[in-house]
């Protein structure tokens, strides 16, 4: 499997979709490539024949190239849907002519790279698969695979950067900050903007303030509660 070729296709996808900030929206990308996207329920009502074809081939998601339709099972967990749609996008971008084990592996690799490329994992300072899950919205299994791939990439990139690595860096390079910037989020307490942080981040100021405030735990065995109980009884 040519990993550099797949990464090149990932960069082409980012460029074509004008994508700069994670998490990556697979459904919008598929639509931009000229495909219709339906849930299995919607497709069953709209075109029963295409639905039967898609559902018989996969209980998660399937691409029907002749009608340019991508359908997915909306009953699956959201994180699984995200990866399945990235997988189907891989079939489209890599122009796979038919279903084969090799192409399925390529589509899986494309999905992992497009959702959480190793360089983005690095600059988001992910230290575990859990961090990857928080930053990029991957399932536990997908996050573990992406983090293991990142560790292999880091061992190599620490000694030698390939042309595709430089291309990835240049694509996400922010001239104002003079750094790799691939995510932008707000502190959900005060609204401060943070870069390359997960969506549930809290800024240091709000975090320090929250740590100083009494923890809102209703301790039924606290001396104060026992005293008040005795007074009220």
């Amino acid at each position: 499997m040519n990993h550099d070729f797949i990464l090149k296709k990932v960069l082409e996808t980012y460029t074509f979709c004008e994508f700069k900030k994670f998490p990556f929206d697979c459904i919008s990308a598929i639509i931009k490539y000229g495909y219709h996207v339906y849930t299995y329920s919607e497709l069953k009502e709209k075109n029963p024949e295409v639905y039967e074809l898609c559902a018989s081939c996969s209980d998660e998601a399937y691409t029907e190239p002749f009608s340019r339709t991508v359908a997915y099972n909306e009953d699956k967990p959201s994180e699984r849907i995200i990866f399945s749609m990235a997988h189907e996008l891989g079939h489209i971008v890599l122009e796979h002519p038919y279903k084969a084990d090799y192409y399925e592996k390529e589509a899986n690799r494309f999905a992992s790279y497009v959702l959480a490329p190793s360089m983005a994992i690095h600059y988001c300072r992910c230290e575990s698969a859990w961090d990857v899950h928080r930053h990029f919205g991957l399932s536990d299994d997908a996050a573990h695979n992406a983090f293991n791939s990142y560790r292999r990439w880091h061992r190599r990139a620490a000694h030698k950067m390939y042309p595709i690595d430089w291309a990835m860096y240049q694509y996400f390079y922010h001239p104002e900050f003079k750094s790799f910037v691939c995510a932008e989020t707000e502190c959900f307490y005060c609204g401060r903007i943070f870069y390359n942080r997960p969506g549930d981040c809290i800024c240091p100021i709000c975090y320090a303030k929250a740590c100083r405030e009494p923890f809102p735990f209703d301790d039924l065995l606290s001396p104060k509660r026992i005293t008040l109980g005795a007074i009220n009884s």
Side-chain angles (χ1 to χ4, degrees):
M1 186 183 300
N2 189 334
H3 293 266
D4 285 357
F5 170 75
I6 296 174
L7 276 170
K8 180 181 177 182
K9 287 296 184 180
V10 166
L11 268 178
E12 289 179 4
T13 302
Y14 291 159
T15 303
F16 179 71
C17 296
E18 300 177 337
F19 169 78
K20 286 283 187 176
K21 300 290 192 303
F22 289 95
F24 183 75
D25 187 345
C26 301
I27 292 179
S28 295
I30 291 171
I31 293 172
K32 194 168 180 64
Y33 273 93
Y35 281 71
H36 306 287
V37 178
Y38 302 103
T39 66
Y40 274 3
S41 298
E42 291 171 340
L43 187 60
K44 187 175 183 179
E45 293 184 5
K46 186 176 182 63
N47 193 326
E49 291 183 359
V50 176
Y51 162 75
E52 290 297 335
L53 173 63
C54 293
S56 64
C57 291
S58 173
D59 68 341
E60 295 190 355
Y62 188 74
T63 299
E64 205 291 301
F66 297 104
S67 62
R68 298 184 72 82
T69 296
V70 178
Y72 65 94
N73 187 346
E74 68 274 27
D75 294 329
K76 295 293 182 180
S78 60
E79 294 161 348
R80 186 62 202 172
I81 291 173
I82 290 171
F83 191 86
S84 296
M85 295 304 280
H87 175 98
E88 298 307 318
L89 177 63
H91 286 309
I92 294 169
V93 172
L94 298 172
E95 300 179 335
H96 291 155
Y98 51 84
K99 190 178 180 67
D101 288 342
Y102 177 79
Y103 293 144
E104 292 301 310
K105 292 177 181 177
E106 272 197 343
N108 278 337
R109 183 55 57 187
F110 176 92
S112 183
Y113 286 160
V114 80
L115 292 173
S118 293
M119 188 170 288
I121 291 174
H122 178 74
Y123 279 96
C124 287
R125 299 181 181 181
C126 295
E127 298 180 352
S128 66
W130 168 245
D131 287 340
V132 175
H133 165 78
R134 289 178 63 220
H135 276 270
F136 301 95
L138 302 185
S139 67
D140 290 344
D141 287 344
H144 277 286
N145 290 335
F147 188 68
N148 287 337
S149 179
Y150 158 70
R151 293 172 67 184
R152 291 191 295 270
W153 171 85
H154 187 266
R155 285 195 294 269
R156 187 266 301 163
H159 300 284
K160 183 177 181 181
M161 295 277 281
Y162 290 166
I164 190 63
D165 297 321
W166 289 113
M168 181 73 73
Y169 183 85
Q170 290 168 2
Y171 181 80
F172 285 100
Y173 181 80
H174 198 297
E176 180 182 351
F177 300 108
K178 294 181 170 53
S179 181
F180 183 103
V181 176
C182 64
E184 180 179 309
T185 54
E186 292 184 5
C187 170
F188 55 76
Y189 282 121
C190 68
R192 288 182 178 85
I193 302 297
F194 287 88
Y195 300 95
N196 298 348
R197 296 285 298 277
D200 58 349
C201 71
I202 305 175
C203 77
I205 296 173
C206 290
Y207 180 76
K209 180 181 177 182
C211 289
R212 288 196 299 269
E213 292 176 350
F215 189 72
F217 175 65
D218 189 11
D219 187 354
L220 298 176
L221 298 179
S222 70
K224 183 177 180 181
R225 281 294 301 270
I226 293 173
T227 301
L228 288 174
I231 293 174
N232 295 330
S233 60

